[in-house]
Amino acid sequence: MEDRYELRFSGSGGQGMILAGIIMAEAASIFDTKIAAQSQSYGPESRGGASKAEVIISNEPIDYPKATAIDCMLALTQEACTKYHSDIKKGGILLVDSDEVKDVPQGDFKVYRFPITETARAALGKTIVANILALGMITGLTGIVTASAMEEAVLSRVPKAFQDMNRKALQIGFEKARELVARS
Amino acid sequence: MAARKAKKLMQGNESCFEGAIYAGCRFYAGYPITPSTEIAEGLSRRLPQIGGKFIQMEDEIASIAAVVGASLAGLKSMTATSGPGFSLKQEGLGYACMAEVPCVIVNVMRGGPSTGYPTGPSQSDVMQAKWGTHGDHPVVALTPAYVQEIFSETVRAFNIAEKYRTPVIILYDEIVGHMREPIIIPEPGELEVIDREKPTCPPEDYLPYDRRLEVPPLAAFGEGYRFHVTGLNHKDDGFPTNDSKTIEEGVKRLIRKIDNNRESIWKNDGYYLDDAEVVVFAYGSTARSARRSVRMAREKGIKAGLFRPLTIWPFPDKALKEAVKKARGVIVPEMNLGQIVLEVERNCPGMAVTGIHRVDGEPINPKQILDAIEKYR
């Protein structure tokens, strides 16, 4: 039986959404035992504009590599959230950065709100790890990859000098996901 | 315990340049263009590591010219581009056909005409691949759809180019080029790698365009064989000719060397074709979408099947005719306004052929194709 799981990471160009997608795909297909396909869509600009990356995770070879019925979506900006939320499936998950996304779409899906970018800045002094923090949260909220596979995937992608910071960002993400789930 | 081969998450364009290196490519000249740039970027790093040469040229015309030159000097050579760059390369591509110079040209298609839509997927260069350069000429074009397949098809492209002394085009779209999938790089020797045949005769007897042979051997410049290369119709020794018989025989041999070997150049993939009453003919990322549609249709009890060409030129007429034997109709989704659908119609006379077309920079999704399939319920 096919077990297809669809994720979409969205935000503004330069926020590391494509890297988040790559890391999720590696966590699933290299460090876990599943199959993954990652694709992306972005405008001609290298910063700004709505940007998205998609990851399909399955237990069998993946045919269509794009998301059509999303199990879990991340939105770091209002523009991306408004533009890309319509494919979230019934019972799916939407995680938004609550400082950025004020107009939260309503639908048959579960919404989690959290100040992702601000938490990264306050805890680690860098907004650049917001994508890693979000990956930690998504891992916690969905359980689609194991925490250890996610950690290995993150560490294999970042230079040695930044491993501690990224490991911390990931841990904060895991914790915050637990808190959000406990609260809801 | 045997070491497990390393699985890597790799982008389609990365798989392409790694495949090229595996095939023995040691020269790349190009001018970067989205969505093919990662191929140039990767080879600029990889080729110098293995004694190869990378040149970023002033434009696409110079790039294909450099590739032809390097190949004549004996190196397996390639270039990569996209839509507008592919237009610029047409003259050099025709020259390579005429002068019978093995080379590989990757076109990661993007929307057009002109500079069009750089970051969106498209399949609108399929007919350009066949007829973009003028004159009667042989064309081989391959259409991989999976990251692992881009690797093996790039190797196959070099093999065909070397074996038949002809340019080979690799044609895929932005989705396949930019997406990442886990792949396993084959060990050396696992995939066949073909090198061009070189002359063994004394240099003074060498005829680089010997009409008695299907594919004459090709000497490398600098190895003692002096010969003339031109885009003009030529005699067996390579010098231009006005003799009508020689002209006709030369052009016909160009066509014949591919035509006679179609069986070995063709490659197709089928999914649920055996009892298919409706056949979807699709290539590249659209074929992945179609595969999903076929699967959904089968779950609904509709006898749908997928015909997926990996060689789009020469057109797989024989296999297609076989695949549609029990079919009532053929559906052809493609990200253009109707190109290969014409070729399908031509080869399925009397059958209902429906095109699904899209040029808004978005992929054709499985639902769109399923809707067309459901009409055959």
Side-chain angles (χ1 to χ4, degrees):
Chain A
M1 191 49 203
E2 191 192 29
D3 173 24
R4 186 179 164 106
Y5 197 91
E6 303 189 351
L7 298 116
R8 177 177 287 168
F9 300 84
S10 72
S12 166
Q15 281 187 310
M17 292 299 93
I18 292 173
L19 180 61
I22 294 171
I23 292 174
M24 177 56 85
E26 283 181 335
S29 67
I30 307 295
F31 299 102
D32 259 350
T33 54
K34 293 176 178 160
I35 296 174
Q38 177 269 336
S39 67
Q40 58 217 320
S41 141
Y42 56 94
E45 60 279 79
S46 61
R47 293 284 182 279
S51 147
K52 69 173 175 188
E54 294 176 344
V55 181
I56 313 297
I57 298 174
S58 180
N59 54 2
E60 54 182 270
I62 291 157
D63 42 40
Y64 190 55
K66 296 275 183 182
T68 53
I70 295 168
D71 291 277
C72 177
M73 169 164 148
L74 166 72
L76 289 186
T77 66
Q78 182 69 57
E79 187 192 355
C81 189
T82 306
K83 195 169 171 187
Y84 297 133
H85 79 272
S86 63
D87 302 318
I88 303 175
K89 77 178 193 190
K90 200 176 163 184
I93 292 172
L94 171 64
L95 170 64
V96 300
D97 189 317
S98 51
D99 288 334
E100 295 291 330
V101 183
K102 298 295 184 191
D103 179 15
V104 178
Q106 300 298 308
D108 262 339
F109 46 80
K110 176 95 189 131
V111 178
Y112 292 102
R113 297 173 174 82
F114 188 74
I116 299 168
T117 307
E118 175 53 23
T119 304
R121 195 196 57 75
L124 302 157
K126 298 260 187 234
T127 57
I128 198 156
V129 288
N131 60 346
I132 305 298
L133 196 152
L135 275 173
M137 294 188 73
I138 287 167
T139 305
L141 293 174
T142 67
I144 187 63
V145 292
T146 61
S148 62
M150 179 52 76
E151 185 169 328
E152 279 187 89
V154 169
L155 296 182
S156 76
R157 274 278 165 184
V158 296
K160 272 230 154 31
F162 299 102
Q163 290 204 337
D164 267 354
M165 185 168 67
N166 281 280
R167 194 187 279 117
K168 276 179 201 151
L170 200 58
Q171 291 304 330
I172 295 171
F174 292 154
E175 276 164 37
K176 296 301 171 191
R178 268 196 297 276
E179 288 171 26
L180 280 182
V181 172
R183 230 186 292 151
S184 61
Chain B
M1 197 181 88
R4 230 182 71 211
K5 271 192 276 182
K7 203 167 48 160
K8 283 173 89 171
L9 191 77
M10 206 177 256
Q11 197 181 51
N13 284 340
E14 290 176 90
S15 174
C16 179
F17 71 70
E18 289 295 346
I21 286 172
Y22 185 98
C25 172
R26 291 297 178 270
F27 183 87
Y28 180 98
Y31 189 82
I33 179 169
T34 301
S36 74
T37 304
E38 294 82 7
I39 300 172
E41 220 178 313
L43 285 174
S44 71
R45 191 176 66 245
R46 295 282 278 120
L47 280 176
Q49 294 170 348
I50 52 172
K53 294 276 183 288
F54 172 94
I55 309 180
Q56 178 169 327
M57 299 297 288
E58 67 268 33
D59 62 26
E60 285 87 348
I61 301 172
S63 304
I64 184 76
V67 162
V68 167
S71 182
L72 285 170
L75 291 183
K76 291 190 183 180
S77 305
M78 87 184 282
T79 187
T81 190
S82 181
F86 194 51
S87 294
L88 289 168
K89 287 183 202 288
Q90 293 304 327
E91 187 185 348
L93 177 60
Y95 185 90
C97 289
M98 182 58 135
E100 298 181 70
V101 183
C103 56
V104 172
I105 297 141
V106 186
N107 176 11
V108 188
M109 293 177 278
R110 66 194 230 177
S114 190
T115 31
Y117 185 38
T119 56
S122 168
Q123 295 177 313
S124 53
D125 301 345
V126 178
M127 281 296 169
Q128 188 192 18
K130 172 71 180 148
W131 294 117
T133 193
H134 59 275
D136 287 301
H137 58 278
V139 167
V140 177
L142 312 181
T143 48
Y146 295 81
V147 174
Q148 183 84 54
E149 198 172 80
I150 290 180
F151 188 100
S152 52
E153 286 302 282
T154 302
V155 175
R156 197 165 76 92
F158 275 97
N159 287 348
I160 295 169
E162 293 287 314
K163 190 169 176 185
Y164 300 113
R165 273 185 69 178
T166 193
V168 175
I169 298 160
I170 305 177
L171 208 54
Y172 57 83
D173 53 81
E174 183 274 343
I175 296 177
V176 184
H178 277 161
M179 70 177 290
R180 291 177 177 83
E181 288 182 298
I183 85 159
I184 293 168
I185 304 270
E187 297 291 334
E190 212 173 304
L191 300 182
E192 186 188 24
V193 169
I194 297 173
D195 296 325
R196 69 190 66 172
E197 197 191 329
K198 288 190 171 183
T200 49
C201 62
E204 57 275 22
D205 296 341
Y206 178 50
L207 292 172
Y209 301 96
D210 190 343
R211 275 168 293 153
R212 292 167 302 180
L213 302 173
E214 194 167 60
V215 185
L218 180 61
F221 274 97
E223 290 182 353
Y225 290 82
R226 294 201 310 173
F227 63 104
H228 191 256
V229 180
T230 174
L232 292 166
N233 288 95
H234 41 263
K235 298 178 285 180
D236 294 7
D237 61 6
F239 285 95
T241 180
N242 293 325
D243 176 61
S244 55
K245 180 167 177 281
T246 311
I247 291 169
E248 186 188 14
E249 283 178 3
V251 175
K252 284 188 169 168
R253 185 179 62 76
L254 282 186
I255 301 295
R256 200 172 59 232
K257 73 177 176 180
I258 300 303
D259 244 23
N260 285 356
N261 293 292
R262 283 178 302 175
E263 297 282 351
S264 79
I265 295 169
W266 276 331
K267 191 174 170 188
N268 312 297
D269 182 27
Y271 182 59
Y272 282 119
L273 279 178
D274 287 350
D275 62 344
E277 291 177 6
V278 50
V279 170
V280 184
F281 181 101
Y283 52 95
S285 72
T286 308
R288 300 180 66 141
S289 192
R291 190 180 166 94
R292 187 152 192 84
S293 320
V294 165
R295 179 188 178 132
M296 289 153 89
R298 286 277 167 174
E299 279 164 12
K300 290 169 179 258
I302 305 166
K303 287 184 176 169
L306 170 67
F307 184 98
R308 182 171 74 91
L310 280 88
T311 305
I312 199 112
W313 301 118
F315 189 78
D317 47 12
K318 192 176 158 194
L320 176 63
K321 282 173 183 158
E322 187 62 35
V324 300
K325 263 192 177 153
K326 289 179 189 146
R328 290 184 283 139
V330 186
I331 295 166
V332 187
E334 43 179 349
M335 289 182 281
N336 57 49
L337 289 177
Q339 296 194 12
I340 212 70
V341 66
L342 303 172
E343 207 64 15
V344 174
E345 275 172 1
R346 209 162 68 80
N347 285 288
C348 302
M351 190 166 293
V353 176
T354 316
I356 300 175
H357 306 293
R358 196 158 184 176
V359 289
D360 62 350
E362 293 293 329
I364 295 172
N365 61 54
K367 175 77 171 51
Q368 269 182 284
I369 303 169
L370 181 63
D371 287 346
I373 293 175
E374 289 205 76
K375 299 203 172 106
Y376 287 88
R377 181 188 280 283

